[in-house]
Amino acid sequence: MPALSRPVTYIFLLLCLGHLVEGRAEDQQVAQLRTQLEAAKAAEDKPAIIELSRRILAITPNDPQLWQMLAQTQLETEDLDRLEQTLDAWEKAVKRPAPSIEDFRGALAFKRKDYQNTEKHWLAFVGMKPRPSDAATGYDNLANLCAEQARWEDHAAYRTKAIAAKDSAARRVARACAYLRLHKWDAAYADMAKANKLDASDSDVKEWLPQFEQLQRFLPQIKTLDAQISKSPNNIELLLQRARLFTVAGRPLLALDDAERAFKLQPASMRARIQTAEALLDTNREDDAAKLEVGKNLERQEDKHVSDEALDILGKLDTRLQANPKDAEALVARSKELKELGQLTLALADARAALAIDDKSADAHFEAARDLDRLNQQTEALSHARIATQLDPKDPEKWFYVGVLERQRANLPAAIESQTRSIEISESFVALSEREQCERRIGKISEADADLRRIRDLPAKHQ
């Protein structure tokens, strides 16, 4: 190799020195950025973490941990478009793509509700043989994806793969819950027992074990209904009975499965509608319950459930109406029951349906009046209430209600007249009290005092 001349040697040395100085400057810049990054991490300043990570990677793109942190922070802040750019840049920057890139692509697709690509990327991630703990987490994610899509068989299968990758008490609990959705009771309880044995102090075990114990009290009845439903899968009465057991056992999702199925089979069933709405409310889905015209004010007992009596009445009235859809009396009775449950929109709809069949039904007009009044439509309510008294002038309750509506609109003479009609038919404490108040307000003091004395002398049975 020929010797270099002095000028050439001098230039070569200057170039090497320049590269060395430039390299040291870059090192210093990276060191400064990393110091700032550590401070940003300590402060949990996610925008700063993202910006500083990007700057460092622009200089030194071969740091897998930094790529991981950048992608994770963008995912946590739901900066999804930039996360996609980061994953593309990460893949180009390394010779052998890290498995976590597929994991992040799956998470990105899940955030975008692109479930087909979510599953594709997460399956690719576990197929790249990550560490057992990471593979188990990957299968956990796939199971959650299936739960989102109500794919319960696949959900349980992925839970099984997660356990095979790395067993834990929490994963046993998760598969036990998956088996509940499939009504695989024995398998579910075997997993829960195993979870409790693995780690009784695990938070999931502590949360779920009491719930499994509560459900266990109802299992004999549930298993009996399981056998009956397997023979008659479209029997809505059996489905609603089992839904009711799930509700009182504290398993609203299982109740919802059965109630929704019954409601789809018989959309006219008010019991199915109410039970479906109750399960939706129990799972904090008020908007979906509202789509069924059932409000969150659904009347419950002290145990926080709709009463068995109310459901039984609705079921019997549904049966009558299924046999004869023009049974106006059944519609009126169902309207009354729905009003007692606080569901005025549905109650009014039944009252109006009864009137469409028989506009001479005093009870239908009366129920419509009471529903409209509670819906703050007093003018229309009074109109129906007056018609009810014309059609059934011997009912003291109807006259009393007209009097109340008249008093609400400050027509006190008319209110007094209606209460007088009610009292003449059947003397009652409430009618006397209403009339006494109206009389006192318009200066009929002697009449009001007379009513007050009568109220005090009224036998207890009339009060």
Side-chain angles (χ1 to χ4, degrees), residues 148-401:
E148 189 75 18
Q149 298 173 289
R151 293 163 48 197
W152 304 119
E153 290 285 357
D154 292 337
H155 173 66
Y158 281 130
R159 293 293 182 203
T160 298
K161 290 184 177 182
I163 289 170
K166 190 173 179 62
D167 201 355
S168 72
R171 289 195 172 95
R172 290 282 177 169
V173 172
R175 188 172 68 174
C177 293
Y179 283 147
L180 288 187
R181 291 305 293 261
L182 296 169
H183 295 193
K184 294 182 178 180
W185 315 119
D186 294 340
Y189 279 86
D191 261 347
M192 182 54 68
K194 178 67 174 178
N196 193 38
K197 187 176 180 180
L198 282 171
D199 185 0
S201 66
D202 179 84
S203 60
D204 288 335
V205 173
K206 287 182 175 180
E207 177 186 355
W208 281 95
L209 186 57
Q211 297 184 53
F212 270 69
E213 290 171 346
Q214 181 182 358
L215 175 62
Q216 198 165 24
R217 295 189 289 114
F218 298 90
L219 276 184
Q221 296 166 271
I222 290 169
K223 287 182 176 180
T224 298
L225 286 167
D226 285 347
Q228 293 173 331
I229 290 169
S230 67
K231 295 177 182 177
S232 303
N234 294 332
N235 186 317
I236 76 157
E237 185 177 347
L238 294 174
L239 287 168
L240 291 174
Q241 286 179 26
R242 190 169 67 179
R244 175 62 178 175
L245 288 175
F246 287 139
T247 293
V248 297
R251 303 267 52 87
L253 290 174
L254 295 176
L256 185 59
D257 288 342
D258 280 348
E260 281 188 324
R261 184 172 155 196
F263 192 41
K264 286 177 182 177
L265 288 168
Q266 197 173 117
S269 168
M270 195 60 69
R271 174 173 176 169
R273 180 187 291 265
I274 292 297
Q275 285 191 241
T276 300
E278 182 178 16
L280 289 168
L281 292 171
D282 287 344
T283 52
N284 299 315
R285 293 170 58 183
E286 292 179 5
D287 290 345
D288 289 326
K291 292 174 184 176
L292 301 179
E293 297 183 285
V294 177
K296 61 182 179 181
N297 61 328
L298 181 64
E299 187 65 31
R300 316 277 191 111
Q301 292 184 301
E302 289 184 6
D303 63 2
K304 299 181 180 179
H305 305 308
V306 174
S307 72
D308 283 317
E309 182 184 6
L311 294 177
D312 184 56
I313 291 171
L314 288 177
K316 288 176 179 176
L317 293 170
D318 287 340
T319 300
R320 280 179 59 179
L321 287 164
Q322 188 178 16
N324 178 16
K326 293 188 178 297
D327 187 341
E329 287 185 4
L331 284 166
V332 170
R334 197 170 71 174
S335 172
K336 184 176 181 179
E337 194 62 37
L338 289 166
K339 183 176 82 283
E340 294 299 318
L341 289 172
Q343 304 312 303
L344 301 176
T345 301
L346 292 173
L348 181 59
D350 269 358
R352 283 177 166 161
L355 288 171
I357 296 166
D358 180 9
D359 64 356
K360 302 300 182 185
S361 168
D363 289 339
H365 280 289
F366 186 52
E367 287 305 318
R370 296 207 292 180
D371 297 333
L372 287 162
D373 179 30
R374 290 175 64 176
L375 289 167
N376 296 318
Q377 299 179 47
Q378 277 76 27
T379 300
E380 192 177 353
L382 181 57
S383 174
H384 280 287
R386 283 172 174 166
I387 294 171
T389 58
Q390 293 167 11
L391 294 168
D392 186 9
K394 294 183 179 181
D395 185 342
E397 186 181 3
K398 292 182 175 66
W399 283 109
F400 168 78
Y401 199 69

Side-chain angles (χ1 to χ4, degrees), residues 403-420 434-435 437-444:
V404 171
L405 293 174
E406 293 285 16
R407 189 252 303 156
Q408 288 176 354
R409 62 199 294 264
N411 189 351
L412 301 180
I416 293 170
E417 181 182 349
S418 293
Q419 296 304 347
T420 299
E434 275 284 331
R435 188 172 72 176
Q437 291 177 52
C438 293
E439 288 167 339
R440 204 169 292 284
R441 284 174 61 182
I442 61 174
K444 291 188 174 184

Side-chain angles (χ1 to χ4, degrees), residues 50 109 130 136 210 299 445:
I50 291 171
E299 187 65 31
I445 305 303

